[in-house]
Amino acid sequence: MKSVIKTEPVLEGKEVTMQFGGLKAVSHFNLVMRPNELVGMIGPNGAGKTTVFNMITGVYTPTSGEIFLDGKPIHGLKPHRICHQGIARTFQNIRLFKELTALDNVRIACHTHSSSQWWQALLLTSGHFAEETRITRHAEEFLNVLGLSHRRDHLAKNLPYGEQRRLEIARALATQPKLLCLDEPAAGMNTSEKVALMELIRKIRDDFDLTILLIEHDMRLVMGVSERLLVLDHGVTISEGTPEMVRRDPKVIEAYLGLEEAVK
Amino acid sequence: MKLLKNFLPFLIGIPILWGIQLISPPHIAIILVNVGVNIILAVSLNVVNGFTGQFSIGHAGFMAAGAYTTAKITLALQDTLLPGLSPWLSTQTIFLMALVAGMLLSGTMGLLVGMPSLRLRGDYLAIVTLGFNEIIRVFIENIRWLGGATGLSGVPPYTTLVWVGLGAIATISMARRLVSSTHGRALLAIREDEIAAEAMGVNTTKYKIRAFVISSAFAGLGGGLLGHYILLVTPKTFTFIKSMEVVGMVVLGGMGSISGSIISATLLTVLLEGLRGLDQYRMVMYALLLVILMLTRPTGLFGTHEIWDVLSRYFPKRKAVQKA
Ligand SMILES: Nc1ncnc2c1ncn2[C@@H]1O[C@H](COP(=O)(O)OP(=O)(O)OP(=O)(O)O)[C@@H](O)[C@H]1O
Ligand SMILES: [Mg+2]
């Protein structure tokens, strides 16, 4: 019995489809993610990877299909509700609160679990001060985990690129999610930075007991870190399985690796 | 201790304001009252336009709601003596209650205007608030009970420099306390990136509406105080031009800077007073000045910075957070 409960999926997508006018960006997408899994999602440009994230996090409502978090339907909910239910994300084209400090970026994410009321802030109740202190300490912890303590009071826009990406992860973690969705977190980094980041992602998964869905363009990188891979092409899941299986799948070689060959 | 901290700005404020009131000759007092009212208006509008990054241009409409409500109540209770209170205390209490009622009504108006328009993204708020400003003016002009186009006259002279000063302190305290709290940071997040704010769990619609309601309530406070100083509440006081004047103050001071709003409200009020002799060219000069300033300093005088933050850097307190 115990083992059955344990393998209850964290996230489940059933026949999820997203249509933009005449374009089917994602069609009949299915996904089951077990607790603590680290699943990689790959595919060529425009394959529909970010669209999948946008549907999971409520930015788009799927044209059809269902998405469940811990067995509860979340499709059609607003993004903030989905965040409260336990899904956090980063953005492919970094969306930090640019004019705010690194600390404030993370503190805003801590607001999700804040119990203080707005009038308490206006009346300076002791509960308000206690909550502010708790939030600040909490945020500092997450900055520390991502190695950003020295940037605490720097404006987000002034951070180097790689640190901005890490700050996005810190911010997402601060919402205390069950599922973390990372959209190309290593984009724009050099190879050694990328490798370090992948190790960090794995460590975060273990330390915070998370389930992670990771989009990454670099095939080798994602194969090294994920237990399971999902390959999208033109909105269709063309392959799914362990990195070994996917690597040998002729359809993947044709759609994805073939592309890389062609580029070279 | 907790209570003291809450009311400290007011406790310090009362004797100072009272002193200023005693030594100010009438023509200076008029300007100071106007400065105070405009600080209330600019700082409260900054909560929406500066902190939250929305664009409201109908603040005068909410002033009107507050001014008429307050005046109607004080006019009705002019000769009433609250039991057990001295005449002076009775009047002050009635005025305070009337101001709070004005804030409640203008806040409610804010809710009605904000709910439909803040659900939508984009610039709907600007259009709707502009429309609301005109609608409420036309509405009042056509209601005899509210004095029609001539307005309500004989409004009792309750507003003093102390009252306006306390109103300004209340507004500034509200804005400062809000922005340094987790609730205020959620507003800043909306300004910075609405999609990211949503993704981090901020119910952006709810927070935008809340900011708008608070801001509208304080506009009502400004209206109520102004009406009981000029002793007249007419639709002409609350036109689109008044709204734009306040927007100008917020933009000039720097969107999101409380101290910027305070300083630009002071400067522009004094300037408008100085230009009074030029009559019809007054607003033209005002607009021209704003345009020039915007061209030379598009972020406003202060950007999003605060004087007290800069000061604390030069005079660090023991408790002050170390800035790297
Ligand atoms: N809001 C939208 N409206 C119309 N079309 C869209 C929208 N969002 C995405 N698309 C289209 O859907 C398709 C999939 O886009 P998506 O961003 O999901 O791809 P992706 O796999 O993330 O690509 P990349 O690797 O470049 O990030 C693309 O053809 C894109 O143009
Ligand atoms: Mg993408």
Side-chain angles (χ1 to χ4, degrees):
Chain A
M1 195 63 205
K2 218 170 182 180
S3 67
V4 175
I5 293 166
K6 246 188 156 170
T7 54
E8 218 42 47
V10 173
L11 184 84
E12 193 170 7
K14 286 183 185 163
E15 296 292 306
V16 183
T17 299
M18 186 76 228
Q19 186 129 14
F20 295 114
L23 174 79
K24 248 189 190 156
V26 174
S27 51
H28 305 284
F29 179 78
N30 289 292
L31 173 67
V32 175
M33 290 188 72
R34 307 272 166 206
N36 279 3
E37 247 189 332
L38 204 168
V39 176
M41 186 151 56
I42 58 174
N45 283 99
K49 306 181 294 291
T50 299
T51 304
V52 168
F53 269 30
N54 283 336
M55 288 189 289
I56 293 174
T57 56
V59 176
Y60 299 148
T61 301
T63 317
S64 63
E66 297 167 307
I67 306 171
F68 299 89
L69 181 71
D70 282 339
K72 278 181 285 182
I74 56 163
H75 47 277
L77 292 184
K78 286 227 175 177
H80 69 266
R81 294 278 309 280
I82 293 180
C83 173
H84 283 255
Q85 307 255 346
I87 301 182
R89 73 176 291 180
T90 64
F91 294 89
Q92 182 173 0
N93 42 355
I94 305 179
R95 278 181 174 273
L96 288 167
F97 307 123
K98 290 196 191 70
E99 300 289 335
L100 304 182
T101 61
L103 178 71
D104 279 347
N105 268 271
V106 183
R107 283 204 288 191
I108 285 161
C110 296
H111 186 65
T112 321
H113 296 282
S114 157
S115 58
S116 89
Q117 298 295 317
W118 64 276
W119 49 266
Q120 290 185 302
L122 296 191
L123 297 179
L124 302 180
T125 66
S126 48
H128 157 70
F129 286 115
E131 189 64 10
E132 285 297 318
T133 313
R134 191 192 64 79
I135 286 176
T136 305
R137 203 172 303 140
H138 203 65
E140 283 167 342
E141 256 167 52
F142 286 107
L143 282 178
N144 190 29
V145 169
L146 273 294
L148 291 168
S149 294
H150 61 299
R151 298 294 192 191
R152 183 184 186 276
D153 297 314
H154 290 225
L155 293 187
K157 64 171 182 186
N158 293 338
L159 298 188
Y161 194 75
E163 290 186 349
Q164 291 197 11
R165 289 233 175 256
R166 293 217 303 273
L167 182 54
E168 271 221 335
I169 299 176
R171 189 178 67 171
L173 276 181
T175 66
Q176 302 182 333
K178 299 167 194 158
L179 172 70
L180 179 62
C181 300
L182 302 170
D183 198 344
E184 303 198 24
M189 293 183 175
N190 65 37
T191 312
S192 68
E193 279 175 325
K194 279 184 180 180
V195 172
L197 183 72
M198 289 303 145
E199 267 160 30
L200 183 64
I201 288 171
R202 213 182 186 135
K203 184 171 148 33
I204 286 170
R205 190 265 310 258
D206 298 337
D207 291 353
F208 290 89
D209 199 24
L210 282 175
T211 310
I212 295 182
L213 184 57
L214 170 75
I215 296 177
E216 179 50 57
H217 256 298
D218 192 325
M219 184 83 157
R220 220 161 320 159
L221 210 60
V222 80
M223 283 186 169
V225 73
S226 328
E227 281 111 35
R228 199 151 61 83
L229 277 183
L230 206 85
V231 189
L232 279 187
D233 189 22
H234 293 108
V236 181
T237 312
I238 56 169
S239 181
E240 195 183 346
T242 62
E244 270 315 304
M245 285 157 62
V246 167
R247 197 206 302 269
R248 280 193 299 257
D249 191 329
K251 276 194 278 195
V252 177
I253 295 166
E254 188 188 329
Y256 198 89
L257 301 178
L259 190 82
E260 267 182 8
E261 297 298 60
V263 169
K264 280 170 198 163
Chain B
M1 178 62 210
K2 191 181 81 190
L3 212 63
L4 181 70
K5 193 156 185 182
N6 224 328
F7 290 106
L8 199 60
F10 301 93
L11 293 180
I12 297 172
I14 289 176
I16 295 175
L17 290 164
W18 194 64
I20 297 174
Q21 182 170 295
L22 278 183
I23 59 165
S24 301
H27 66 282
I28 299 288
I30 292 180
I31 297 178
L32 289 180
V33 165
N34 270 313
V35 166
V37 168
N38 282 336
I39 287 176
I40 294 173
L41 297 174
V43 171
S44 59
L45 185 66
N46 209 343
V47 170
V48 171
N49 290 26
F51 295 172
T52 321
Q54 308 301 302
F55 202 58
S56 164
I57 51 174
H59 221 39
F62 300 104
M63 276 179 85
Y68 274 88
T69 310
T70 315
K72 265 294 179 190
I73 293 173
T74 56
L75 279 170
L77 299 179
Q78 219 167 357
D79 304 319
T80 312
L81 188 67
L82 294 179
L85 296 180
S86 72
W88 180 81
L89 203 56
S90 165
T91 320
Q92 303 300 307
T93 311
I94 287 174
F95 188 36
L96 181 65
M97 310 262 245
L99 284 172
V100 171
M103 290 178 76
L104 287 177
L105 192 92
S106 52
T108 308
M109 292 275 187
L111 186 67
L112 294 178
V113 172
M115 264 203 313
S117 44
L118 288 165
R119 273 174 200 289
L120 307 163
R121 262 189 209 136
D123 301 323
Y124 292 95
L125 189 67
I127 298 158
V128 173
T129 48
L130 174 62
F132 166 74
N133 198 164
E134 283 306 290
I135 288 167
I136 195 161
R137 194 177 57 78
V138 172
F139 174 79
I140 291 168
E141 277 177 4
N142 287 291
I143 300 287
R144 180 130 21 102
W145 187 65
L146 294 173
T150 48
L152 300 172
S153 55
V155 177
Y158 291 162
T159 300
T160 59
L161 237 168
V162 175
W163 269 110
V164 173
L166 291 179
I169 291 173
T171 314
I172 295 165
S173 303
M174 174 276 291
R176 282 197 64 175
R177 290 171 187 186
L178 188 64
V179 79
S180 57
S181 78
T182 184
H183 301 277
R185 279 192 297 271
L187 299 181
L188 301 181
I190 294 172
R191 174 188 75 196
E192 292 298 313
D193 191 321
E194 207 171 325
I195 290 177
E198 268 282 330
M200 295 308 128
V202 178
N203 185 345
T204 54
T205 306
K206 184 169 125 191
Y207 277 80
K208 282 191 279 185
I209 293 173
R210 182 185 292 157
F212 193 69
V213 169
I214 294 175
S215 167
S216 305
F218 278 84
L221 174 67
L225 287 168
L226 185 65
H228 289 74
Y229 195 75
I230 57 177
L231 313 187
L232 186 69
V233 178
T234 79
K236 280 189 282 302
T237 315
F238 309 110
T239 56
F240 173 62
I241 293 182
K242 181 67 198 176
S243 292
M244 287 322 282
E245 217 181 281
V246 184
V247 171
M249 289 167 186
V250 173
V251 174
L252 174 69
M255 301 273 231
S257 170
I258 301 167
S259 38
S261 283
I262 296 172
I263 285 170
S264 73
T266 310
L267 287 178
L268 290 179
T269 310
V270 173
L271 181 85
L272 279 173
E273 214 52 45
L275 291 174
R276 206 173 269 285
L278 293 169
D279 215 25
Q280 73 265 45
Y281 298 113
R282 208 166 141 233
M283 284 322 288
V284 179
M285 298 276 289
Y286 180 85
L288 207 63
L289 180 90
L290 279 182
V291 170
I292 293 169
L293 269 162
M294 283 303 98
L295 287 176
T296 50
R297 204 172 157 78
T299 54
L301 294 175
F302 284 69
T304 55
H305 303 285
E306 297 291 2
I307 292 188
W308 36 82
D309 291 343
V310 178
L311 288 180
S312 73
R313 208 168 302 158
Y314 288 109
F315 308 99
K317 276 187 286 185
R318 213 163 0 113
K319 259 178 75 182
V321 186
Q322 205 131 53
K323 299 256 168 189

